[in-house]
Amino acid sequence: MSMGHYSEQRPGFEVTKDWNGADQVMIRSPRGASVLVSLHGGQVVSWRNDRGEELLFTSSKAIFKPPKAMRGGIPICFPQFGNCGTLEQHGFARNRLWAIDDEAPPLNHNDNNGKVSVDLLLKPSEDDLKCWPHCFEFRLRVSLSTDGDLSLVSRVRNVNGKPFSFSFAYHTYLSVSDISEVRIEGLETLDYLDNLSQRERFTEQGDAITFESEVDRVYVGSPSVIAVLDHEKKRTFIVRKEGLPDVVVWNPWDKKSKTMADFGDEEYKQMLCVDAAAVERAITLKPGEEWTGKLELSAVASTNCSDHLDYPCS
């Protein structure tokens, strides 16, 4: 079925079908920024600014066919990150069909001013409970502010009779002009676990993180705001987060790229994953408890961004 073959207006957003017939939701800000969310995985697959420029990377070889998660956008890794457990890589949430949640309870703090949002809901299937026997409700709110900032708020509730633990990441593929011209600020002096050397712990020595080879690291105990500067585009991504102590930084570089069927050999130059995450220490919820993890992404002209690192998530 072609994109936009079918559409349905709902308050503040539009529902269409993707190539496989799965629903996807388009939300637009009054100034023309937009976000496209697939109900396959609850995955943000596009985020455009008010000039129509795509801010997230999607591989030209991405496979848009369930049960494979699409390579790009913002896949949700839950209840496991990577392959550090018994479940499929990055957990099952990114490979499940989510529902639009018309009865979503309001968020505690009043942050809806001028935002357009969609609420999604995932509950475990009987098959999920066989491989991960814990009852949960996962609510995801995807919002776009008047300025075109993208925010994702995840709320995981334990509706089980016993505690459970999980790890989590917003596996965010940022679109960059040239990886060798990109640097990350805000992770200096932090400890990181290096996935390229059996998760050994190191301390970041650089003033800023730059890229000249494969990187796969979990920066632990990171600040609530970091910046990703793209010198060539003169654009800076500001990443704000709450409830997510870690930042995963990943670029596969050339050798690893050639081994991935759903990734072009040279595409590592145009992308960088910077994930707000809870990986080093699992999150544990007692029965009835709820956890909230929030990500807010802004893309600003680099000349205006030096003051952005001073204020936290709104």
Side-chain angles (χ1 to χ4, degrees):
M1 202 174 275
S2 65
M3 293 276 279
H5 179 87
Y6 148 95
S7 83
E8 168 201 350
Q9 286 293 140
R10 311 267 289 239
F13 58 85
E14 184 185 357
V15 182
T16 58
K17 294 279 188 198
D18 73 6
W19 297 277
N20 296 301
D23 282 350
Q24 49 184 20
V25 178
M26 172 73 82
I27 54 179
R28 295 178 197 277
S29 79
R31 293 183 192 157
S34 67
V35 171
L36 187 61
V37 191
S38 173
L39 267 57
H40 175 65
Q43 182 169 346
V44 172
V45 294
S46 170
W47 170 39
R48 292 179 182 270
N49 63 18
D50 52 17
R51 292 185 298 284
E53 297 167 328
E54 180 58 62
L55 302 170
L56 297 175
F57 167 86
T58 297
S59 171
S60 62
K61 296 190 169 182
I63 298 162
F64 292 89
K65 222 172 173 54
K68 185 118 177 95
M70 189 202 78
R71 172 81 63 190
I74 310 179
I76 288 189
C77 305
F78 170 89
Q80 173 183 303
F81 180 78
N83 48 16
C84 305
T86 55
L87 301 175
E88 61 203 80
Q89 166 93 352
H90 290 326
F92 51 72
R94 66 187 187 142
N95 291 321
R96 294 296 178 270
L97 214 49
W98 294 53
I100 293 174
D101 185 12
D102 291 317
E103 273 106 52
L107 287 168
N108 300 335
H109 38 283
N110 177 21
D111 71 349
N112 293 334
N113 303 340
K115 283 189 176 178
V116 280
S117 302
V118 61
D119 289 286
L120 303 183
L121 174 63
L122 179 69
K123 294 179 181 178
S125 68
E126 287 189 10
D127 283 349
D128 296 336
L129 290 169
K130 281 177 196 156
C131 67
W132 200 68
H134 307 293
C135 274
F136 65 88
E137 290 176 355
F138 188 142
R139 287 188 161 79
L140 172 66
R141 175 169 294 180
V142 181
S143 307
L144 196 56
S145 75
T146 315
D147 292 338
D149 298 344
L150 169 61
S151 73
L152 290 88
V153 180
S154 288
R155 288 180 289 170
V156 176
R157 179 175 287 280
N158 181 349
V159 291
N160 217 26
K162 57 183 193 293
F164 64 73
S165 299
F166 62 91
S167 54
F168 179 92
Y170 292 113
H171 192 22
T172 308
Y173 285 79
L174 298 175
S175 173
V176 300
S177 52
D178 177 356
I179 187 63
S180 62
E181 296 287 321
V182 171
R183 73 176 199 268
I184 302 178
E185 292 184 356
L187 301 177
E188 311 77 52
T189 74
L190 294 188
D191 281 7
Y192 63 86
L193 310 176
D194 193 340
N195 288 323
L196 302 179
S197 33
Q198 292 77 49
R199 292 173 69 85
E200 193 180 336
R201 187 180 278 258
F202 295 94
T203 301
E204 179 56 53
Q205 305 293 339
D207 299 339
I209 296 161
T210 55
F211 299 89
E212 48 201 31
S213 59
E214 184 183 353
V215 172
D216 188 353
R217 297 173 181 172
V218 180
Y219 286 85
V220 299
S222 56
S224 60
V225 188
I226 64 165
V228 181
L229 290 78
D230 185 338
H231 295 293
E232 204 166 290
K233 273 213 173 90
K234 298 187 169 48
R235 179 161 68 208
T236 297
F237 291 103
I238 308 293
V239 180
R240 296 186 185 86
K241 61 192 180 61
E242 268 176 30
L244 296 159
D246 307 324
V247 171
V248 180
V249 177
W250 180 66
N251 183 292
W253 220 253
D254 53 349
K255 281 198 188 72
K256 173 75 65 66
S257 296
K258 291 181 172 70
T259 67
M260 297 192 289
D262 60 347
F263 193 85
D265 291 356
E266 298 288 313
E267 286 187 322
Y268 71 91
K269 295 173 182 172
Q270 268 75 62
M271 58 72 68
L272 176 61
C273 281
V274 179
D275 308 353
V279 176
E280 188 201 18
R281 290 193 187 90
I283 293 150
T284 300
L285 291 179
K286 297 191 192 82
E289 272 190 332
E290 186 176 79
W291 166 85
T292 301
K294 181 171 177 180
L295 168 67
E296 196 177 284
L297 294 173
S298 318
V300 297
S302 292
T303 45
N304 311 336
C305 74
S306 53
D307 53 345
H308 280 70
L309 291 175
D310 298 334
Y311 63 91
C313 242
S314 54

